[in-house]
Amino acid sequence: MADSFPFLETSVMKTGPGCGLSAGVFSFRSTGERRACRLLARKAGPALLPQAAAPSLRKAARRGRRRSPSRGWSAGGAGRGRSGRGAKGPRLPFSPPPGRAEGRAAAGAPLEEAGEADAGGIRRGGGGGGSSGSAGSTMPAKVCIVGSGNWGSAIAKIIGQNIQKSMKFDPIIKMWIFEETVNGRKLSDLINQDHENVKYLPGHKLPHNVVAIPNVRDAANGADILIFVIPHQFIPKICDDLKGHVKTGAIGISLIKGIEETPDGLKLISDIIREKLKIEVSVLMGANIANEVADEMFCETTIGCKNPDSGKLYKELMQTQNFRITVVDDCDTVELCGALKNIVAVGAGFCDGLGFGDNTKAAVIRLGLMEMISFAKLFCKGPVAIETFLESCGVADLITTCYGGRNRKVAEAFACGGKTIEELEKEMLNGQKLQGPQTSAEVYKILKQKKMVDRFPLFVNVYLICYQGKSVKEFITCLQNHPHHM
Ligand SMILES: NC(=O)c1ccc[n+]([C@@H]2O[C@H](COP(=O)([O-])OP(=O)(O)OC[C@H]3O[C@@H](n4cnc5c(N)ncnc54)[C@H](O)[C@@H]3O)[C@@H](O)[C@H]2O)c1
């Protein structure tokens, strides 16, 4: 049962405050958790419930078993109360899309204005395929988070809470975890038993319906929505592992900031996922330092999504009062912003380490922004809307990263001298990964190939300083003849 109903298992078996057994009575931290557990009990049926299960859960399970599939509680399915009435069998809120919906005419225009989507479910035309039920039917969307680092855990906290309030999503979130041992225990056990990712997001309890799973295929099995949130260097391998194991009609969204340089030139991370897994892929990028998001401090983010229905669904899945989402269809620009700003942040860190003041740092940020725009115009397949740079994924993310992020911090230490980027990454980040230096190396190769290094002095010199032994003291000099001053 642990495999099928891990949340129920953890919730039911664990003792102690917050969730579990207390004198034979279950207590939950929220009504959402109680509801999720009741729903699972209905799915499980009385026979599969632990003996210790509370009377209310056993009652729910009996009630669930009595309901016929036409009431929405099929024995093996994931139907929920308000769906699935009538002779045609279960009506379920998720059905996969036939393919990418046509984007809106103007790149960068917020999709919410379009008013084209229904209440957030994904419509399917004929031939949608997949195992989510018959055409026209819908079922709660199962969500899998591929990744469990700092940002992966913060987004799991939001999604785990949000889905408890929505009928559109299955109550369990499976979260793939790259297994490691922390304080003598498996990190997956720590998350499933103590509900905290003590290594990557210490001090924050994760909702109990977030279940860590160390095998990526098991985690993604049956998922309708895949959320990719791992350091970008690991994405090709993970996608190869997942190939052939993703549900037909599933959709994905990448929260990953980075790009890949390939023999064919620049590749966005969303392109890699799309090509390898053959699924629709959107992106989410913004001024979102994970710890602050997890602390529920107000911020914004941008989703780049060409399918208005998917955009609405993602918004329902992830938006909160303190995490406000704008959806635009200028996906490639959104994604490039997320990757390139990390290079600028390295430059900002150099600036801090060298002891320059606020004016200099502001100039570095502005020149970095100009290079981001020029790069996007050169390399995006579709049109590039300047307004996209005014969204959270653009100028806001650039500012936050240049003041608060790990790339800035490590670059500042690098400029103070004595250690390589790799040494500092190991020493300062406790297993977290830097993105800026590696992205600068990928960008450099692309610019060299296209004979354009002279047009991007900031990007190029970050690379030369990080990897080619150029003195960090020359960083500002390199910017004095910037093409934007000529
Ligand atoms: N942390 C943030 O504030 C933040 C905010 C927005 C976006 N992002 C982006 O999210 C993505 C993920 O970053 P994060 O902060 O969640 O991760 P992280 O840097 O905190 O953690 C590293 C992760 O990589 C995993 N890992 C280590 N070796 C691995 C391997 N061989 N294969 C697969 N995984 C391995 C670790 O288990 C861990 O989960 C990055 O692209 C990052 O740029 C991060």
Side-chain angles (χ1 to χ4, degrees):
M1 190 180 101
D3 282 344
S4 315
F5 307 106
F7 165 56
L8 184 61
E9 180 86 331
T10 6
S11 296
V12 166
M13 299 314 289
K14 194 173 174 307
T15 56
C19 177
L21 281 172
S22 138
V25 178
F26 287 85
S27 57
F28 300 92
R29 292 194 308 173
S30 67
T31 47
E33 276 181 6
R34 183 189 303 280
R35 187 165 63 83
C37 212
R38 263 206 311 269
L39 287 167
L40 282 160
R42 284 173 182 158
K43 282 163 64 179
L48 290 175
L49 275 183
Q51 280 309 308
S56 64
L57 281 183
R58 303 204 70 82
K59 199 169 152 197
R62 282 197 300 277
R63 212 169 48 232
R65 278 293 151 134
R66 275 205 304 274
R67 282 173 196 243
S68 70
S70 66
R71 294 291 304 273
W73 308 121
S74 65
R80 281 182 169 186
R82 67 164 200 180
S83 61
R85 282 151 214 116
K88 285 185 187 154
R91 244 195 84 68
L92 309 151
F94 179 85
S95 20
R100 275 187 167 208
E102 280 175 30
R104 290 208 326 148
L111 285 174
E112 296 95 313
E113 289 165 16
E116 300 157 307
D118 62 14
I122 295 186
R123 278 186 236 105
R124 174 170 51 189
S131 52
S132 358
S134 56
S137 70
T138 49
M139 67 190 302
K142 290 187 178 166
V143 180
C144 166
I145 301 177
V146 180
S148 51
N150 191 221
W151 187 215
S153 302
I155 208 73
K157 186 177 171 199
I158 287 184
I159 295 175
Q161 285 167 354
N162 264 7
I163 61 160
Q164 294 175 27
K165 296 176 226 143
S166 169
M167 303 298 273
K168 291 203 181 83
F169 305 102
D170 193 88
I172 304 264
I173 305 290
K174 291 187 190 167
M175 179 170 80
W176 173 66
I177 182 162
F178 179 76
E179 190 67 282
E180 21 187 334
T181 304
V182 179
N183 305 330
R185 288 170 71 190
K186 285 183 181 168
L187 191 52
S188 59
D189 286 346
L190 277 163
I191 292 175
N192 290 335
Q193 289 161 12
D194 301 351
H195 307 286
E196 185 177 339
N197 187 340
V198 289
K199 175 152 184 192
Y200 293 105
L201 191 64
H204 289 277
K205 286 289 173 199
L206 296 176
H208 292 206
N209 54 342
V210 174
V211 180
I213 299 181
N215 181 308
V216 74
R217 289 182 187 170
D218 289 347
N221 183 27
D224 300 293
I225 300 175
L226 293 159
I227 297 172
F228 295 91
V229 55
I230 54 175
H232 77 276
Q233 53 269 42
F234 304 127
I235 202 71
K237 158 113 188 18
I238 289 297
C239 287
D240 286 340
D241 287 351
L242 281 174
K243 230 185 245 173
H245 298 271
V246 169
K247 185 172 173 179
T248 309
I251 58 173
I253 184 162
S254 168
L255 279 52
I256 298 169
K257 293 176 174 171
I259 51 171
E260 279 271 307
E261 180 270 333
T262 70
D264 306 329
L266 170 91
K267 229 179 214 164
L268 298 173
I269 301 303
S270 62
D271 288 336
I272 298 174
I273 301 170
R274 196 176 295 118
E275 282 167 22
K276 286 190 184 274
L277 302 182
K278 314 278 181 245
I279 59 173
E280 173 194 299
V281 185
S282 305
V283 295
L284 179 150
M285 309 278 146
N288 306 137
I289 289 178
N291 292 334
E292 293 181 20
V293 175
D295 279 334
E296 298 177 26
M297 293 182 188
F298 176 82
C299 67
E300 298 178 297
T301 200
T302 313
I303 286 180
C305 178
K306 296 222 183 288
N307 181 337
D309 288 357
S310 304
K312 284 216 161 189
L313 196 65
Y314 290 133
K315 198 163 171 163
E316 181 159 347
L317 187 62
M318 291 185 266
Q319 180 160 273
T320 70
Q321 280 305 309
N322 288 315
F323 189 65
R324 306 307 293 170
I325 299 177
T326 304
V327 185
V328 301
D329 71 354
D330 195 5
C331 305
D332 291 356
T333 310
V334 171
E335 188 167 0
L336 267 180
C337 281
L340 298 175
K341 57 94 197 185
N342 281 332
I343 310 180
V344 186
V346 175
F350 290 162
C351 222
D352 291 343
L354 293 168
F356 286 97
D358 291 340
N359 294 346
T360 311
K361 190 155 155 182
V364 166
I365 294 172
R366 191 195 81 85
L367 289 170
L369 179 62
M370 298 312 279
E371 291 192 20
M372 284 167 61
I373 295 171
S374 305
F375 192 92
K377 283 184 173 167
L378 278 170
F379 293 102
C380 276
K381 285 166 265 160
V384 170
I386 291 299
E387 302 87 77
T388 304
F389 292 90
L390 303 180
E391 297 290 348
S392 180
C393 63
V395 73
D397 196 8
L398 184 61
I399 292 169
T400 200
T401 315
C402 288
Y403 282 89
R406 61 181 92 154
N407 290 284
R408 189 217 64 81
K409 190 168 77 170
V410 170
E412 180 183 36
F414 179 84
C416 293
K419 290 189 175 154
T420 65
I421 290 283
E422 289 81 5
E423 286 166 346
L424 291 167
E425 184 182 32
K426 272 205 191 87
E427 270 177 32
M428 297 175 71
L429 296 184
N430 186 33
Q432 293 192 320
K433 301 289 172 201
L434 273 185
Q435 304 293 327
Q438 197 173 338
T439 305
S440 77
E442 273 136 15
V443 162
Y444 178 78
K445 282 189 220 150
I446 294 162
L447 293 174
K448 187 128 197 282
Q449 200 187 4
K450 304 268 181 204
K451 301 192 179 7
M452 287 181 181
V453 288
D454 295 345
R455 293 169 65 176
F456 296 87
L458 191 151
F459 289 173
V460 166
N461 281 287
V462 164
Y463 163 72
L464 295 176
I465 291 165
C466 287
Y467 295 115
Q468 297 297 332
K470 184 164 185 171
S471 169
V472 69
K473 296 200 176 92
E474 290 180 53
F475 179 63
I476 296 301
T477 324
C478 299
L479 303 180
Q480 285 167 342
N481 290 313
H482 199 284
H484 284 282
H485 300 144
M486 300 297 162

